[in-house]
């Protein structure tokens, strides 16, 4: 047993559901107790999804415990098949169902005799993998299923497209700024004169997966999902793949150079060096911004980085090599990917931290006292407590990290957005610091004094005690409203009674 | 016990495929209510992820709860449950010094049959901190029923005999006292106590109290009354195990419910409830602004927190037409007075008795919503945005559990919640269209 207050990566089934709900017309059925369908709330809330999340539960209750699911799972599968007519039904085990050890594979086989949709059992072990690993695995599983199916039916697309083309693998629902990143990735490939064959799984149809091999190469923007699929396609069809995240100027250049190299191996010779120069100098503002006089002040400032492997590594590189900021330490909660992460950042920071315990991260931040933090929502809250500004660069995130406006982290527009994020975090910190030095500009005290009504009314002890229980941020307003009400009703003393009365009558 | 209600009320039971919160969510309000408590949820990452997401900002405020996250070794019994729990509880004792530790059993502890009730007394003696076990799991319960399991477990711990100090305070005549059960925010406790005081009703204690050490004394023949419709196990425990007498009354939600609740208590204690009619009327008068907005409008409860009957009764009295009352679980005995009041209210308002759907099927419900096109759907967050995108006003049901809705004083807050989507959408008329989905995904 482990004492845990908070976790960075969710349970395995969340990863599977993120893949299922990213595809078009794929329905997931969770074998889970009541209340485990919390994924629907997250998706509906965070992504402000207009459509019903295609996830239902086949409820595990007392009866299931006593007698097994029997026909229940099968009935739920066939029912969904009729109701929604999906292309694929994905039966998703949860931590509960995995200890019940029911033969879910058997249910899948039996159900698929009756359904017009394909049915697969997601192959994830709850006690061994987390959300991120499960999403990687599930994506590969689905792609492999449809490649094999196409092969059997002899409809597999094997001829390469005429023009150079790419598959983008691993753009997911509930991914950190994935939708914005996708726009910029499309622009990047358009600029490079490369067609996009397919984007998977975002809004993709499983029926198109058979044509994945027609692309010239695969591109995996994030390490957390898509690598297994790229590896699978590489093993099966000898498709090359590139898995450098185009986040920051240096990384983008690396990606473009790798694309150039990959294309040349396929006998397509392109020279992107002019493009890189032009973009870096004029389209992206980030390089010039780092050079501008403003950013001189960032020299020697310290920062720490924490997040998923992809974003934390890229951010560390940007801070240290593109902004000249001293990264005290850089860390990730992707403990399963620690070797890669260490290799990426160990030259760029004083210390590498691999942990999924937020207490360790919090203590380290307090001990190292950086000028700014770049992390997840958890680090933002740690920063709040320690009065250190924080830019959020990675999941897990809140609803405010699903902005409506265009805010990519990848591509050239991404570099501008990141430069703003870094600069704003530091100036806020500086401003705060200067204000402190010069006595601050806290005017709340004098403001409230002049605004509150003149005190001809007194409060009884009980009423005052009751008032003190009202949350701080509204207490002032309640106090003023109650006093206003007491004045207008000719009360001299505010008793409990008057306080309640005011609440009942105010604004009505 | 009268079952006359069943003649007029139609109860249906569907498949139980509905969305609700896991009952372990009760931790979020109970740890705030019981100030010296610590809640240890013994479960998996799934439970932890749910709590973390459901509680949003609360999680960052050093809450007095944590997960005892089970690992593979725990599941396959390679590790000793007792030793593991002892290690964690000692750490909690050292770091937080709680007055009581609650163990919340989950689906996983049920399935692997971890003997929490057996381990707790031994460990309690070993580490010298009271340990209370509540099985608030998704196999058996929905959302607010979690609180019911915790309070039922606490009912066993309420002292039977006053200690010597307390004896002085207790009146000599040995009259049966009144104990109110149900966790409410302090201000609401104050308000309800205040209302009862006006009728010379003394409250002997609340279950739960603000601190574990202040649990009320419960003696044979004391009277008990619930404030919330989801507390049937607690009621049963208090009656059967503590030999108390349950006052069956509608719940103090809405001015009509509050009045009926107080009246019933007064009847039992033989005091005259004077001025209640005026008090109720006065509240209704104050609500007129809101009532204007909802009179004649229809509402559909998808059902997820067991407050549905009381809310439907109040909204019917407000002049709304209730199409369907979905509810996770319906205890017809514990809620009998509330059901009677619902029936009477329907007669009084001259509307048809709505159908009550136990263990609803959300998919079928969405079909019915599409056909009925109600003016308001009270539902969970999973369906709210998709319904809004299809031009249907929704109110998030969970807010009713966290808002202050009890007593005369808070009636306005209920209507504030109910009318919010209507008020908001009225204001947006100039920019909104009815639907925000492409025609092919209308369903």
């Amino acid at each position: 047993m482990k004492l845990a207050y908070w976790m960075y990566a969710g349970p395995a089934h969340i990863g599977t559901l993120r893949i299922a709900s990213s595809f078009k017309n794929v329905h997931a059925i969770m074998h889970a107790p009541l209340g485990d369908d919390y994924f629907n709330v997250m998706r509906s809330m965070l992504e402000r999804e207009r459509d019903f999340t295609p996830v239902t539960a086949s409820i595990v209750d007392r009866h299931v415990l006593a007698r097994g699911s029997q026909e229940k799972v099968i009935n739920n599968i066939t029912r969904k098949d009729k109701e929604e007519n999906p292309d694929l039904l994905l039966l998703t085990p949860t931590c509960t169902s995995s200890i019940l050890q029911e033969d879910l594979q058997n249910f899948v086989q039996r159900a698929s005799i009756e359904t017009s949709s394909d049915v697969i059992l997601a192959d994830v072990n709850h006690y061994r993998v987390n959300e991120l690993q499960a999403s990687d695995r599930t994506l590969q599983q689905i792609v492999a299923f449809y490649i094999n199916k196409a092969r059997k039916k002899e409809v597999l697309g094997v001829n390469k497209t005429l023009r150079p083309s790419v598959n983008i693998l691993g753009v997911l629902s509930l991914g950190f700024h994935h939708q914005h990143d996708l726009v910029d990735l499309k622009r990047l490939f358009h600029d490079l004169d490369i067609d996009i064959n397919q984007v998977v799984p975002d809004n993709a149809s499983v029926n198109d997966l058979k044509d994945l091999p027609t692309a010239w190469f695969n591109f995996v923007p994030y390490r957390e999902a898509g690598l297994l699929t790229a590896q699978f396609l590489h093993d099966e069809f000898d498709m090359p793949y590139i898995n450098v995240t185009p986040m920051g100027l240096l990384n983008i250049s690396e990606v473009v150079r790798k694309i150039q190299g990959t294309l040349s191996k396929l006998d397509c010779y392109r020279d992107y060096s002019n493009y890189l120069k032009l973009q870096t100098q004029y389209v992206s503002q980030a390089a010039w911004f780092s050079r501008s006089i403003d950013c001189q002040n960032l020299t020697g400032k310290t920062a720490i980085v924490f997040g998923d492997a992809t974003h934390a590594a890229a951010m560390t590189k940007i801070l240290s090599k593109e902004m000249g900021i001293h990264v005290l330490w850089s860390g990730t909660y992707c403990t399963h990917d620690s070797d890669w992460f260490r290799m990426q950042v160990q030259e760029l920071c004083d210390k590498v931290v691999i942990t999924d315990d937020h207490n360790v991260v919090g203590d380290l931040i307090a001990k190292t006292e950086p000028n700014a933090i770049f992390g997840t929502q958890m680090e933002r809250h740690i920063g709040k407590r320690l009065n250190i500004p924080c830019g959020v660069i990675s999941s897990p995130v809140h609803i405010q990290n699903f902005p409506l406006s265009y805010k990519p982290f990848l591509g050239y527009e991404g570099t501008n957005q990141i430069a703003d994020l870094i600069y704003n975090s530091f100036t806020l910190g500086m401003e705060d610091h200067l204000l402190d030095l010069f006595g601050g500009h806290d005017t709340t005290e004098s403001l409230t004094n002049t605004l509150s009504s003149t005190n001809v009314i007194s409060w009884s002890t009980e009423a005052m005690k009751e008032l003190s229980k009202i949350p701080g941020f509204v207490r002032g307003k309640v106090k003023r409203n109650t006093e206003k009400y007491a004045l207008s009703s000719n009360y001299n003393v505010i008793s409990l009674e008057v306080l309640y009365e005011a609440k009942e009558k105010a604004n009505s | 016990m009268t079952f006359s209600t069943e003649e007029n009320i139609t109860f249906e039971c569907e498949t139980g495929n509905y969305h609700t919160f896991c009952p372990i969510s009760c931790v979020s309000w109970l740890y705030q209510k019981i100030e010296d408590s610590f809640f240890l949820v013994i479960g998996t990452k799934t439970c932890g992820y749910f709590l973390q997401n459901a509680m949003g900002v609360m999680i960052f405020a050093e809450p007095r709860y944590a997960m005892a996250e089970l690992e593979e070794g725990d599941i396959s019994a390679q590790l000793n449950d007792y030793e593991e729990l002892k290690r964690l509880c000692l750490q909690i004792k050292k770091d937080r010094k709680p007055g009581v530790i609650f163990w919340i059993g989950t689906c996983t502890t049920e399935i692997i049959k971890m003997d929490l009730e057996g381990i707790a007394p031994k460990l309690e003696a070993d580490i010298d901190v009271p340990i209370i076990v509540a099985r608030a799991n998704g196999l058996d319960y929905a959302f607010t029923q979690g609180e019911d399991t915790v309070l039922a477990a606490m009912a066993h711990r309420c002292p039977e005999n006053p200690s010597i100090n307390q004896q002085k305070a207790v009146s000599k005549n040995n009259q049966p006292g009144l104990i109110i059960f149900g966790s409410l925010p302090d201000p609401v406790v104050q308000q309800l106590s205040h209302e009862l005081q006006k009728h010379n009703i003394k409250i002997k204690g609340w279950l739960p109290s603000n601190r574990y050490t202040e649990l009320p004394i419960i003696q044979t023949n004391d009277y008990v009354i619930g404030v919330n419709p989801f507390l049937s196990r607690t009621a049963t425990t208090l009656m059967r195990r503590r030999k108390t007498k349950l006052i069956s009354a509608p719940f103090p939600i809405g001015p009509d419910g509050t009045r009926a609740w107080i009246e019933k208590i007064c009847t039992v204690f033989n005091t005259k409830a004077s001025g209640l009619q005026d008090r109720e009327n006065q509240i209704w008068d104050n609500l007129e602004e809101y009532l204007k907005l909802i009179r004649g409008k229809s509402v559909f409860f998808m059902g997820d927190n067991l407050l549905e009957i009381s809310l439907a009764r109040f909204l019917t009295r407000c002049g709304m037409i209730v199409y369907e009352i979905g509810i996770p679980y319906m205890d017809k005995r514990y809620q009998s007075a509330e059901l009677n009041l619902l029936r009477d209210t329907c007669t009084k308002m001259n509307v048809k008795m709505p159908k009550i759907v136990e263990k609803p099927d959300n998919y079928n419900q969405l079909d019915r919503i599409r056909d009925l096109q109600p003016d308001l759907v009270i539902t969970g967050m999973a369906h709210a945005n998709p319904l809004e995108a299809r031009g249907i006003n929704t109110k998030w049901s969970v807010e009713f559990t966290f808002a202050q809705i009890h007593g005369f004083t808070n009636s306005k807050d209920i209507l504030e919640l109910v009318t919010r989507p209507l008020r908001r959408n009225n204001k947006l008329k100039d920019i909104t269209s009815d639907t925000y989905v492409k025609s092919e995904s209308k369903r």
Side-chain angles (χ1 to χ4, degrees):
Chain A
M1 276 179 218
K2 203 168 85 182
L3 198 61
Y5 298 86
W6 204 75
M7 63 184 95
Y8 284 102
H13 71 269
I14 297 287
T16 298
L17 297 180
R18 282 177 61 193
I19 296 289
S21 61
S22 302
F23 276 110
K24 213 161 45 187
N25 217 20
V26 170
H27 200 101
I29 296 182
M30 298 168 68
H31 189 234
L34 198 65
D36 270 5
D37 56 353
Y38 189 72
F39 177 77
N40 297 30
V41 176
M42 286 173 57
R43 197 167 124 96
S44 174
M45 275 299 282
L46 297 176
E47 298 216 293
R48 299 178 194 88
E49 189 48 61
R50 299 168 190 212
D51 284 323
F52 293 100
T53 304
V55 174
T56 42
S58 174
I59 304 280
V60 175
D61 57 15
R62 253 318 135 179
H63 297 290
V64 171
L65 225 54
R67 304 174 298 132
S69 293
Q70 299 187 343
E71 301 302 310
K72 199 170 180 182
V73 176
I74 296 171
N75 288 343
N76 275 313
I77 294 175
T78 48
R79 177 183 164 187
K80 258 318 135 198
D81 177 55
K82 287 201 190 74
E83 282 169 356
E84 305 273 345
N85 196 23
D87 296 324
L88 169 66
L89 277 158
L90 188 69
L91 183 61
T92 311
T94 57
C95 57
T96 307
S97 71
S98 69
I99 30 179
L100 282 176
Q101 299 194 327
E102 285 195 270
D103 190 357
L104 295 179
Q105 187 61 50
N106 175 37
F107 293 153
V108 163
Q109 264 153 14
R110 281 168 56 200
S112 61
I113 299 168
E114 285 177 53
T115 56
S116 52
S117 0
D118 297 312
V119 193
I120 310 185
L121 172 67
D123 170 31
V124 288
N125 181 327
H126 257 268
Y127 294 92
R128 304 219 172 138
V129 296
N130 66 19
E131 168 188 357
L132 304 173
Q133 294 160 290
S135 63
D136 201 13
R137 170 76 187 112
T138 305
L139 183 59
Q140 186 233 359
Q141 199 189 353
I142 293 176
V143 168
F145 178 85
Y146 280 96
I147 293 285
N148 289 331
K149 189 180 171 190
R151 200 177 262 147
K152 252 180 234 155
K153 286 187 164 173
E154 297 179 355
V155 289
L156 193 66
V158 281
N159 298 322
K160 295 289 170 199
T161 54
L162 287 177
R163 289 166 34 78
S165 62
V166 62
N167 298 320
I168 301 176
L169 305 176
V171 179
L172 308 193
S173 72
L174 290 173
F176 182 73
H177 291 247
H178 278 201
Q179 290 310 316
H180 308 276
D181 286 347
L182 182 60
V183 175
D184 225 60
L185 286 177
K186 282 180 175 168
R187 182 192 298 174
L188 179 71
F189 284 112
H190 177 262
D191 288 353
L192 298 177
D193 198 25
I194 294 171
D195 292 342
I196 291 173
N197 186 50
Q198 286 189 30
V199 180
V200 175
D202 179 65
N203 216 17
S205 161
V206 287
N207 295 321
D208 297 336
L209 295 178
K210 64 178 189 329
D211 292 325
L212 277 178
T214 60
W216 288 31
F217 68 102
N218 289 314
F219 180 64
V220 183
Y222 315 102
R223 285 192 67 74
E224 283 71 33
L227 267 183
L228 282 178
T229 310
Q231 188 63 46
F232 168 79
L233 292 169
H234 176 263
D235 295 347
E236 293 280 313
F237 305 101
D238 205 22
M239 281 178 86
Y241 64 90
I242 294 167
N243 64 329
V244 178
T245 305
M247 180 169 153
L249 292 167
L250 291 168
N251 275 359
I252 299 174
S253 302
E254 194 184 336
V255 168
V256 172
R257 273 197 302 274
K258 284 210 160 156
I259 291 173
Q260 191 176 314
T262 305
L263 291 182
S264 76
K265 272 185 209 144
L266 300 165
D267 293 328
C268 170
Y269 301 97
R270 297 256 176 102
D271 183 5
Y272 290 130
S273 46
N274 251 336
Y275 169 77
L276 281 178
K277 205 171 148 200
L278 209 75
Q279 291 285 324
T280 311
Q281 276 190 311
Y282 300 110
V283 175
S284 164
Q285 303 290 323
W288 161 239
F289 179 69
S290 305
R291 189 65 193 263
S292 72
I293 207 77
D294 227 6
C295 279
Q296 270 184 15
N297 288 337
L298 295 185
T299 319
K301 287 273 170 293
T302 57
I304 66 99
V305 182
F306 194 81
D308 63 18
T310 300
H311 289 89
M315 197 65 192
T316 310
K317 198 167 186 179
I318 293 169
L319 286 170
S320 126
K321 288 197 147 172
E322 296 178 23
M323 305 287 268
I325 288 160
H326 182 185
V327 181
L328 297 171
W329 53 270
S330 167
T332 182
Y333 56 84
C334 296
T335 49
H336 59 279
D337 206 12
S338 56
D339 292 345
W340 177 85
F341 185 78
R342 208 179 298 268
M343 210 177 67
Q344 291 295 306
V345 302
Q346 61 190 4
E347 306 289 311
L348 307 172
C349 57
D350 303 351
K351 192 180 163 193
V352 183
V353 179
I354 313 282
T355 180
D356 53 8
D357 183 344
H358 72 92
N359 288 316
V360 172
V361 176
D363 285 348
L364 258 177
I365 293 176
K367 213 160 39 184
T368 45
E369 290 187 275
N371 297 115
I373 302 169
F374 297 94
T376 73
Q377 274 297 334
M378 193 61 192
E379 284 69 49
R380 196 174 75 86
H381 281 269
I382 296 169
K384 253 189 194 164
R385 222 179 293 162
L386 298 171
N387 249 325
I388 302 172
C390 175
V392 175
I393 55 139
S394 157
S395 293
V397 288
H398 284 172
I399 193 155
Q400 66 259 40
N401 302 108
F402 288 87
L404 302 177
S405 57
Y406 179 50
K407 291 210 159 83
F409 272 69
L410 305 190
Y412 285 107
E413 185 52 36
T415 61
N416 294 337
Q417 140 81 10
I418 293 170
D420 276 343
L421 181 77
I422 296 175
Y423 183 70
N424 288 341
S425 303
F426 278 107
T427 39
L428 283 178
M430 294 266 286
E431 212 173 313
D432 259 13
H433 184 60
L434 288 175
L435 280 172
D436 259 7
L437 267 178
F438 295 109
H441 58 187
D442 187 11
T443 50
T444 28
E445 192 69 17
S446 52
L447 265 179
T448 30
N449 277 343
T450 41
L451 288 181
S452 67
S453 52
T454 39
N455 269 345
V456 288
I457 290 178
S458 62
W459 287 67
S460 77
T461 357
E462 298 113 48
M464 208 57 198
K465 203 173 141 204
E466 194 65 13
L467 183 71
S468 69
K469 285 181 196 154
I470 291 163
F473 61 99
V474 285
R475 198 181 300 141
K477 191 178 162 200
V478 172
K479 183 163 183 264
R480 278 197 298 280
N481 282 347
T482 312
E483 283 171 356
K484 222 189 286 168
Y485 171 80
L487 266 180
S488 67
S489 327
N490 295 322
Y491 290 117
N492 298 325
V493 179
I494 296 175
S495 61
L496 261 187
E497 206 122 301
V498 178
L499 182 67
Y500 295 150
E501 224 178 278
K503 186 178 184 236
E504 279 158 24
K505 295 198 175 148
N507 309 327
S508 63
Chain B
M1 194 66 55
T2 150
F3 281 95
S4 59
T5 49
E6 283 186 81
E7 290 162 17
N8 323 44
I9 305 176
T10 36
F11 293 98
E12 283 179 23
C13 186
E14 282 190 304
T15 61
N17 273 321
Y18 63 101
H19 169 78
T20 182
F21 272 13
C22 175
I24 58 172
S25 52
C26 67
V27 164
S28 67
W29 64 87
L30 287 176
Y31 92 78
Q32 290 180 328
K33 174 72 194 176
I34 308 167
E35 291 161 8
D36 56 350
S37 64
F38 190 96
F39 284 80
L40 185 66
V41 182
I42 304 162
T44 60
K45 249 181 172 350
T46 306
C47 314
Y49 199 63
F50 163 70
L51 280 179
Q52 169 172 331
N53 281 290
M55 293 186 206
V57 267
M58 265 189 259
I59 208 99
F60 298 106
E62 293 264 335
R64 289 188 315 279
Y65 78 81
M67 290 292 308
E69 198 183 307
L70 300 170
E71 290 165 303
E72 208 164 6
D74 299 302
I75 304 297
S76 53
Q78 285 165 356
L79 299 168
N80 182 304
D81 297 338
Y82 180 84
E83 291 303 326
E84 291 294 301
L85 283 167
K86 184 175 176 182
R87 183 167 57 80
L88 302 194
C89 287
L90 278 174
Q91 194 183 334
I92 292 166
K93 185 185 174 187
K94 185 174 128 249
D95 295 347
R96 306 296 187 96
K97 302 181 182 62
V100 55
I101 298 177
F102 287 90
W103 285 354
I104 305 295
T106 62
C107 302
T108 313
T109 56
E110 286 296 311
I111 295 172
I112 63 173
K113 299 201 164 40
M114 194 181 276
D115 183 19
L116 297 178
E117 277 95 345
I119 300 174
K122 274 187 245 162
L123 192 56
E124 181 173 317
D126 263 14
I127 67 170
D128 201 27
V129 179
I131 296 172
I132 299 181
V133 182
R135 304 177 176 202
N137 62 70
L139 294 168
D140 301 309
Y141 305 109
F143 196 14
T144 47
Q145 287 181 288
E147 174 181 322
D148 193 21
T149 63
V150 173
L151 297 193
M154 281 180 88
H156 291 286
R157 300 295 184 110
C158 293
E160 203 156 339
N161 295 309
S163 65
I164 309 209
N165 286 339
Q166 283 161 324
Q167 244 158 6
K168 285 179 206 154
V170 175
S171 59
K172 288 279 180 282
N173 55 15
N174 218 12
Q175 278 263 356
L178 175 67
I179 290 135
I180 304 178
F181 57 95
S183 164
L184 295 176
D186 281 353
V188 184
V189 169
Q190 286 291 330
Q191 286 158 14
L192 285 180
S193 310
H194 192 69
E195 296 289 351
L196 287 176
Q197 237 165 43
K198 287 185 195 164
H199 304 286
N200 290 322
I201 306 280
K202 275 233 173 65
I203 302 165
K204 192 172 163 192
W206 286 74
L207 176 71
S209 45
N210 276 348
R211 305 184 66 81
Y212 176 71
T213 43
E214 291 161 8
L215 276 181
I217 300 158
I218 301 181
Q219 287 161 305
T220 307
N221 288 331
D222 275 345
Y223 285 102
V224 294
I225 189 165
V227 286
N228 268 322
F230 45 76
L231 298 172
S232 40
R233 278 177 71 91
T234 311
T236 315
T237 310
L238 287 169
M239 282 191 296
R240 296 205 183 135
R241 307 297 295 272
R242 303 306 305 258
K243 309 279 183 255
T244 59
K245 287 182 266 183
L246 177 71
I247 304 173
S248 176
F251 301 100
I253 292 169
D256 47 343
T258 309
R259 178 189 162 189
W261 189 75
I262 296 173
E263 256 172 7
K264 192 64 191 279
I265 298 174
C266 288
T267 319
V268 170
F269 282 88
N270 275 325
T271 45
K272 213 169 141 254
S274 56
L276 266 180
Q277 176 78 59
D278 291 345
R279 180 99 172 95
E280 188 192 341
N281 290 344
Q282 187 195 355
I283 299 287
W284 284 118
D285 288 347
N286 290 340
L287 296 177
E288 186 51 33
E289 200 72 13
Y290 295 97
L291 297 179
K292 266 191 262 172
L293 288 167
I294 51 171
R295 237 173 237 135
K297 295 249 162 65
S298 55
V299 57
F300 189 110
F301 287 87
M302 284 186 80
D304 70 350
N305 58 17
L306 284 94
L307 293 172
E308 290 89 0
I309 304 283
S310 310
L311 287 173
R313 178 259 303 151
F314 169 54
L315 292 182
T316 306
R317 180 66 180 75
C318 289
M320 290 189 93
I321 297 146
V322 182
Y323 282 155
E324 174 168 331
I325 309 176
I327 187 167
Y329 169 72
M330 180 73 240
D331 186 333
K332 288 171 200 158
R333 283 161 64 99
Y334 177 62
Q335 293 221 43
S336 61
E338 183 64 87
L339 284 168
N340 280 328
L341 183 57
L342 171 67
R343 192 196 46 204
D344 295 348
T345 305
C346 286
T347 317
K348 184 174 175 187
M349 301 303 289
N350 199 19
V351 290
K352 236 179 78 194
M353 187 64 206
K355 100 181 152 174
I356 296 172
V357 181
E358 226 185 318
K359 291 183 180 299
D361 185 297
N362 279 169
Y363 187 88
N364 297 343
Q365 284 185 316
L366 290 174
D367 262 347
R368 297 199 284 272
I369 288 171
R370 235 185 323 276
D371 291 344
L372 294 164
Q373 293 286 317
D375 296 306
L376 180 69
V377 175
I378 297 181
T379 180
M381 210 36 128
H383 297 115
N385 267 337
L387 281 172
E388 288 282 347
R390 283 154 186 77
I392 293 193
N393 298 320
T394 59
K395 182 76 225 139
W396 188 27
S397 52
V398 172
E399 287 192 66
F400 292 101
T401 3
F402 292 118
Q404 305 188 351
I405 60 168
H406 293 78
F408 287 124
T409 319
N410 295 309
S411 303
K412 201 174 79 186
D413 294 47
I414 308 177
L415 291 188
E416 181 75 27
L417 287 177
V418 169
T419 57
R420 194 172 295 157
L422 306 169
R423 283 180 286 136
R424 198 266 311 257
N425 293 352
N426 276 342
K427 284 192 177 161
L428 299 182
K429 268 185 189 139
D430 292 343
I431 60 151
T432 53
S433 71
D434 267 355
T435 57
Y436 284 86
V437 285
K438 297 186 197 106
S439 52
E440 75 251 35
S441 55
K442 273 269 172 70
R443 80 137 284 117

